[in-house]
Amino acid sequence: MADSKMAVSQWSPGFVQELLPAAQKTALLYNLSYLCLGNFSNLERIIRTRAVETQLLFGSSDATMLKCILTSENLVQSLFPMLVTAVEKNKPILAVKFLEKARIWIKDIINDVERIVEKYELHNKDVASSTSDVIQEKIDTDKKITEQDQELKMIKKNQNKMKSELQKTTEELTEIEKKINSKSQEIQEFARSITKTSKGLGIFAAIVPFIGLIVKSIYDAVNDPEHTAHLKALEAELNILIADKTAVKQEQWQIELQMIDWQMKAARASFDRNLIPDPIHLNEVQKSLTRIQEILIQLKNFWENVAQLLDNLEQKTFVGEDLIEDLAELKDEFLDSIKIATEAWCCFGVGCKRASVMFKLQTKDAYKFLEVSPSSLSKDEWQIEYESVKKRLEEIDTPQAVTSSDKPAISE
């Protein structure tokens, strides 16, 4: 597992909340695909099948998030109190026993997340296959058409313009992401180099896997002005990069909304000529599913890192003979670390609960549009349904998509 993958996701406990906008977009984009292609019976069947599969996959994702919630609660309610007892009674062997339990919990989660990520990968291939089916049927139909009318040409021109602008913002966002990862990694390495010189901070870094809180503790515990100044400078640079990322993401979302609007105009024009529209929204569904898969991979990497940190804690603090003697001396630092770790893990649990609620809602309500065939809608009814979906897309909170996982825990 590369440390660079963990740099951003570990800044704070809330990165799982990025699942919310991705899952909302998935359902709404399916709805648009259904509206655009549902007038063709074969394509309606394809969209319906893939949407139901996604619904079921979200149900499995909810089960995985529930396991994350329960494990977070076990850490807070069981492991941490038991570690406190072991430290207070100076019984490192007992602490090792408790850490072994936590390792089993976490290994179980890692296996679960791996399985669900594999399911997303297979499902995304199915959606890609469906997109190809739609394209082929469109090609067969369009052979009968020799030229496009003026309206479709104008729409195509605007779509290409939006596509170019979107590509530009995507490239810009990718570059900023690289810089954020690099800067976060730099902060991570510097912070952990400081914790190596302090046994108390070293224990804290093992129990609290969120780098933002480690940085705060360094500010509180380290009296070296040079270290503090350097750390603040690195944080200031990261703050600027994150502000840039937020601005570009908002710009990107506005362009995506404009593209969706032009795509729907093209679909409407195609309906009037009895043409099959492009399966553009299915492509966007794939992107949203891929985003969810990426976040779940982050979640797997996160738990793997937590398992490694707890293993290091066991080996260096409770098993290493040179540190067992210092356990009593470090008791206050350890207990303080447990207190902050409890708060951090409670926050992480809250994020997982929100993701779980989102998956439940997506499974229950977000796919009710499948109950009505688009072919049964009049033009006015179709337009009303489209405007409703478009409004819900616009209401997805773009700043929320840039969650606390991207924001430093310590502000200037």
Side-chain angles (χ1 to χ4, degrees):
M1 169 179 51
D3 288 340
S4 61
K5 288 183 181 179
M6 295 305 301
V8 176
S9 66
Q10 271 185 258
W11 184 264
S12 84
F15 69 93
V16 291
Q17 293 181 55
E18 287 195 33
L19 289 166
L20 177 59
Q24 287 176 319
K25 284 174 67 176
T26 300
L28 293 171
L29 290 166
Y30 263 129
N31 198 336
L32 289 180
S33 298
Y34 196 60
L35 281 173
C36 290
L37 303 172
N39 280 328
F40 305 90
S41 58
N42 186 43
L43 303 184
E44 178 184 354
R45 177 187 56 77
I46 291 174
I47 302 298
R48 182 186 298 277
T49 298
R50 296 300 170 234
V52 170
E53 287 173 355
T54 299
Q55 212 174 357
L56 294 173
L57 189 54
F58 281 176
S60 299
S61 303
D62 176 38
T64 300
M65 296 312 303
L66 179 60
K67 185 163 287 189
C68 289
I69 294 167
L70 294 175
T71 300
S72 300
E73 290 177 349
N74 281 338
L75 289 172
V76 171
Q77 297 171 11
S78 300
L79 177 65
F80 292 163
M82 289 188 289
L83 284 177
V84 168
T85 300
V87 170
E88 288 178 339
K89 294 184 178 180
N90 201 24
K91 293 184 177 181
I93 294 176
L94 188 61
V96 171
K97 180 180 177 182
F98 296 151
L99 287 169
E100 182 60 34
K101 285 186 177 181
R103 187 181 292 109
I104 292 171
W105 299 336
I106 292 168
K107 184 178 179 181
D108 192 28
I109 282 184
I110 291 170
N111 291 336
D112 263 25
V113 177
E114 280 182 344
R115 285 192 292 270
I116 200 71
V117 167
E118 289 174 2
K119 288 183 179 179
Y120 270 93
E121 185 171 359
L122 291 172
H123 180 56
N124 223 336
K125 289 179 180 177
D126 288 340
V127 175
S129 175
S130 298
T131 303
S132 298
D133 292 342
V134 174
I135 290 172
Q136 186 56 51
E137 187 154 341
K138 172 179 169 55
I139 290 172
D140 294 341
T141 303
D142 286 355
K143 285 180 181 178
K144 303 173 185 176
I145 307 300
T146 57
E147 61 181 22
Q148 295 286 342
D149 59 27
Q150 197 60 34
E151 182 185 5
L152 282 174
K153 288 181 180 178
M154 181 270 292
I155 290 172
K156 192 69 176 178
K157 180 180 177 181
N158 281 283
Q159 283 180 305
N160 290 335
K161 179 183 176 183
M162 291 296 102
K163 188 181 294 185
S164 175
E165 291 182 11
L166 184 61
Q167 178 65 25
K168 181 181 176 182
T169 59
T170 299
E171 291 172 357
E172 188 177 353
L173 192 59
T174 300
E175 190 60 33
I176 293 174
E177 289 275 14
K178 289 180 182 177
K179 291 179 181 178
I180 287 176
N181 274 329
S182 176
K183 187 59 62 178
S184 297
Q185 183 72 8
E186 187 179 352
I187 292 176
Q188 206 175 66
E189 290 171 357
F190 182 68
R192 285 178 177 153
S193 71
I194 296 176
T195 64
K196 289 178 182 177
T197 64
S198 168
K199 291 177 182 176
L201 282 175
I203 291 172
F204 179 85
I207 298 177
V208 183
F210 307 109
I211 194 66
L213 293 175
I214 294 175
V215 169
K216 183 180 186 304
S217 294
I218 290 174
Y219 285 147
D220 295 340
V222 174
N223 297 319
D224 188 329
E226 186 177 343
H227 282 166
T228 300
H230 184 56
L231 202 53
K232 281 186 175 292
L234 291 174
E235 277 197 89
E237 293 170 9
L238 183 62
N239 272 326
I240 292 171
L241 288 172
I242 289 170
D244 291 343
K245 177 183 175 182
T246 301
V248 174
K249 269 207 166 186
Q250 290 173 335
E251 180 184 357
Q252 184 186 52
W253 179 230
Q254 291 305 312
I255 293 173
E256 286 177 356
L257 287 172
Q258 291 180 57
M259 281 190 68
I260 288 170
D261 202 29
W262 281 111
Q263 288 159 357
M264 294 304 292
K265 288 176 182 177
R268 183 74 268 173
S270 295
F271 291 162
D272 294 340
R273 302 184 64 197
N274 201 30
L275 298 176
I276 297 176
D278 289 318
I280 31 82
H281 301 110
L282 276 182
N283 292 331
E284 297 302 317
V285 166
Q286 286 179 252
K287 292 178 184 178
S288 293
L289 288 171
T290 298
R291 181 57 188 144
I292 294 172
Q293 183 180 352
E294 289 170 351
I295 297 168
L296 290 171
I297 290 172
Q298 268 193 316
L299 184 64
K300 172 179 168 287
N301 290 339
F302 166 78
W303 281 111
E304 287 177 343
N305 194 63
V306 171
Q308 184 179 350
L309 290 172
L310 291 180
D311 185 60
N312 290 341
L313 177 67
E314 174 187 330
Q315 297 300 320
K316 295 181 180 179
T317 304
F318 294 106
V319 177
E321 294 181 1
D322 55 327
L323 290 179
I324 288 177
E325 296 176 359
D326 297 329
L327 193 55
E329 179 184 332
L330 294 172
K331 183 181 294 185
D332 289 342
E333 288 90 339
F334 189 90
L335 296 179
D336 286 343
S337 296
I338 289 286
K339 181 180 178 181
I340 298 175
T342 298
E343 295 173 359
W345 279 103
C346 284
C347 179
F348 177 73
V350 168
C352 290
K353 285 178 182 177
R354 288 174 181 165
S356 175
V357 168
M358 174 274 300
F359 277 125
K360 281 188 174 68
L361 289 174
Q362 293 294 307
T363 302
K364 180 182 177 183
D365 298 326
Y367 292 84
K368 284 190 174 182
F369 62 86
L370 294 173
E371 297 173 3
V372 178
S373 172
S375 60
S376 68
L377 300 176
S378 67
K379 285 187 177 181
D380 289 341
E381 289 171 334
W382 189 97
Q383 189 65 33
I384 290 171
E385 179 67 13
Y386 161 63
E387 294 294 343
S388 173
V389 178
K390 179 184 174 184
K391 182 178 180 182
R392 280 178 281 162
L393 270 170
E394 291 171 346
E395 287 173 351
I396 293 178
D397 191 359
T398 50
Q400 188 174 348
V402 184
T403 64
S404 57
S405 62
D406 295 329
K407 298 178 183 176
I410 313 301
S411 56
E412 286 297 304

